[in-house]
Amino acid sequence: MAKTKSTFVCGKRSHTRTQRDREREKRDCSRATFACLRRFCLLYKNRVVVFFSQQQQRGEMSGEDEEGKNYYEILNVASTATEKEIKKAYRLLALKFHPDKYRPTAAAAAQTAAVLTKEAVAKKFASITVAFNCLSDPLKRIKYDRENGVNGLAKSDVLINITFKESINGCTKLAMVPFKTVCVKCNGTGKGGVACANCTILTRASCQTCFGKGVLGAANGGGGGTMNEDEICKKCKGIGAVDDFFQSRVEVPKNPKQNQRVKIQGRETYAVIYTMPSKKFRKCPSNEHDVRTTLQLTALEAKEGGFFEVETLHGKETVYVEDGTEDGAEKILEKQGIEKKGNQIVSIEVLPPPVQEEEEEEEENKEGEKKRKAEEEEEEKEEEENDLQKLLAEKKRKLLEKLASS
């Protein structure tokens, strides 16, 4: 690099800058500009995230947006829409109403009232995001449907989680049904003091001990001075009732539908059955009795083929994989599905070679190259030594011949 110098005077001192100094100043300026832009982008991103999180908290509390629409109406889908339909609807609405991509149509542009302002577009996009975040999560969707009475669910329904195998074979689960019971401390009055033991809520009006108050003060045997009418019960916080749970068993049928309601014994309450996703088994949408699993093989195993064990709903089975099987191939185990009425479809997944093995191979290659070079250097040294010995022997022979002739 050329080191051309330029001299300039600043005050009373003169400074000399080289080409390298000027390039360093350019790099520093570029870094400062990039850092400034990065801080601006992070600040803008944080503001957007805070805005949408506030909108999400407001929306999840009410279950509706400002116009009174529920989440299904916001996404323009039916209440029975599948997960794929909800994702598809969200993508279309997000592209249409994103604050940075919103463009009114020609028909809307003709009508000035139909064109949304920036604030309205941001508000619309926030409500769409809140609705999607709720409906795309199965557990949040069940809670939303239960709180808003959608898809046949009620607020009093109790959620019960079961595993995939429990749903296949059926099971008995314990349900905890919450309910309100009369506070024992205040006898259901919500007031402070000692509860009257001689009456109940039904006979309180005619009680001669507490005179219809349900609690006792100092004058009627309560002790501790006169009762304050404004004092509330500390146990029930003035409500007169406390939370309690009723334990009951729920008989889960075989192969229940997702979010199916089952009657709880001893209560006018239903349990909502939610089948948790399994890491090994998946139901086939085409046939309710078919299941899918994945068999992972290394590249060498897929190349050579052979017999491999596969876990089924009814135990372990052996499946034969032909040599040279490619990723995505399928094997069918007949009558190994749900209740042995369907099949089990085994998808072959060929795993890529681990990065660690590649690194080890590279290290072995490097070591082999070093060893080879060392051997070549040793051979060259031996050849040089042999040549030197031959040269010395030749000189010695000539010297002896010269001495003999003289």
Side-chain angles (χ1 to χ4, degrees):
M1 183 181 295
K3 294 185 179 180
T4 56
K5 298 183 179 181
S6 59
T7 305
F8 63 94
V9 178
C10 179
K12 295 182 179 180
R13 298 179 62 185
S14 62
H15 300 272
T16 303
R17 291 192 307 167
T18 63
Q19 183 71 17
R20 183 177 299 176
D21 295 334
R22 287 194 291 270
E23 291 179 357
R24 186 183 298 110
E25 290 175 0
K26 289 181 181 179
R27 287 197 300 269
D28 295 341
C29 182
S30 300
R31 290 173 182 173
T33 305
F34 176 76
C36 182
L37 290 173
R38 186 172 181 271
R39 286 195 296 270
F40 173 78
C41 293
L42 289 175
L43 179 63
Y44 176 76
K45 179 181 178 182
N46 292 334
R47 287 182 177 177
V48 172
V49 170
V50 170
F51 172 75
F52 284 125
S53 62
Q54 292 175 351
Q55 295 292 330
Q56 183 175 1
Q57 292 176 358
R58 295 171 185 170
E60 288 183 351
M61 290 295 292
S62 63
E64 297 177 348
D65 69 344
E66 291 76 5
E67 298 177 358
K69 294 183 179 180
N70 61 37
Y71 289 166
Y72 295 100
E73 293 174 349
I74 292 174
L75 297 179
N76 294 329
V77 295
S79 59
T80 57
T82 61
E83 185 178 355
K84 291 183 179 179
E85 292 174 347
I86 291 174
K87 286 183 179 180
K88 182 178 179 181
Y90 170 72
R91 290 193 190 98
L92 294 176
L93 293 174
L95 290 173
K96 182 178 180 181
F97 292 101
H98 193 279
D100 296 336
K101 298 180 180 179
Y102 174 71
R103 298 292 184 274
T105 59
Q111 301 177 0
T112 309
V115 178
L116 299 177
T117 61
K118 291 184 179 180
E119 291 77 9
V121 172
K123 191 176 181 181
K124 178 89 172 172
F125 183 72
S127 62
I128 292 171
T129 304
V130 171
F132 174 73
N133 290 338
C134 178
L135 298 184
S136 61
D137 187 285
L139 293 178
K140 288 183 179 179
R141 184 176 180 179
I142 293 175
K143 183 179 179 181
Y144 175 79
D145 292 347
R146 185 177 58 183
E147 293 295 328
N148 295 273
V150 184
N151 290 327
L153 303 185
K155 289 185 177 181
S156 59
D157 290 344
V158 179
L159 179 64
I160 293 180
N161 297 327
I162 61 175
T163 63
F164 189 87
K165 284 193 173 183
E166 287 177 339
S167 68
I168 299 303
N169 304 319
C171 61
T172 301
K173 304 292 286 188
L174 184 65
M176 305 291 290
V177 183
F179 70 98
K180 295 287 186 179
T181 185
V182 177
C183 180
V184 179
K185 187 174 183 179
C186 66
N187 206 5
T189 62
K191 299 177 181 179
V194 181
C196 179
N198 297 328
C199 67
T200 62
I201 295 177
L202 299 177
T203 61
R204 183 175 299 162
S206 58
C207 181
Q208 297 299 321
T209 304
C210 65
F211 303 102
K213 294 181 179 179
V215 290
L216 304 177
N220 47 13
T226 60
M227 183 185 66
N228 186 2
E229 296 289 341
D230 297 330
E231 184 181 357
I232 63 174
C233 177
K234 295 181 180 180
K235 185 175 182 180
C236 64
K237 308 299 181 183
I239 300 175
V242 293
D243 294 328
D244 202 351
F245 291 93
F246 175 79
Q247 298 183 7
S248 179
R249 293 184 177 181
V250 178
E251 298 294 335
V252 179
K254 292 183 179 180
N255 198 18
K257 295 181 179 179
Q258 192 69 291
N259 304 340
Q260 180 176 334
R261 300 177 77 215
V262 179
K263 183 74 167 57
I264 297 177
Q265 299 176 4
R267 288 282 170 175
E268 295 298 324
T269 311
Y270 287 82
V272 181
I273 308 301
Y274 174 72
T275 304
M276 296 182 292
S278 173
K279 294 181 179 180
K280 296 181 179 179
F281 303 100
R282 303 182 303 276
K283 287 187 177 181
C284 295
S286 58
N287 190 339
E288 62 179 1
H289 292 100
D290 288 349
V291 293
R292 278 185 170 274
T293 55
T294 301
L295 176 62
Q296 294 183 344
L297 301 177
T298 63
L300 181 60
E301 290 175 340
K303 182 180 179 181
E304 295 180 351
F307 292 92
F308 300 93
E309 281 191 352
V310 177
E311 185 175 354
T312 68
L313 298 173
H314 316 284
K316 291 185 177 180
E317 293 289 337
T318 303
V319 62
Y320 176 72
V321 178
E322 294 82 1
D323 54 344
T325 300
E326 297 181 355
D327 184 66
E330 293 182 349
K331 291 290 181 179
I332 298 178
L333 299 176
E334 296 183 354
K335 301 301 179 181
Q336 293 297 329
I338 299 174
E339 299 178 5
K340 291 194 173 182
K341 295 180 181 179
N343 303 326
Q344 179 167 331
I345 304 172
V346 182
S347 300
I348 307 298
E349 181 183 357
V350 181
L351 300 176
V355 180
Q356 185 177 0
E357 292 183 1
E358 294 180 356
E359 293 178 352
E360 291 178 356
E361 290 179 0
E362 290 180 358
E363 291 179 358
E364 290 178 357
N365 294 334
K366 289 181 180 179
E367 291 179 358
E369 186 69 20
K370 290 180 180 179
K371 189 175 180 180
R372 186 180 61 81
K373 288 182 179 180
E375 291 177 354
E376 291 179 354
E377 290 177 357
E378 289 180 359
E379 291 178 357
E380 290 178 357
K381 288 181 179 179
E382 290 179 357
E383 291 178 356
E384 290 178 356
E385 290 178 357
N386 294 333
D387 294 340
L388 182 60
Q389 290 177 0
K390 289 179 180 179
L391 181 61
L392 292 175
E394 183 67 21
K395 286 185 176 181
K396 184 178 180 181
R397 185 183 62 78
K398 290 181 179 180
L399 182 60
L400 291 174
E401 291 178 354
K402 188 177 181 181
L403 291 173
S405 61
S406 62

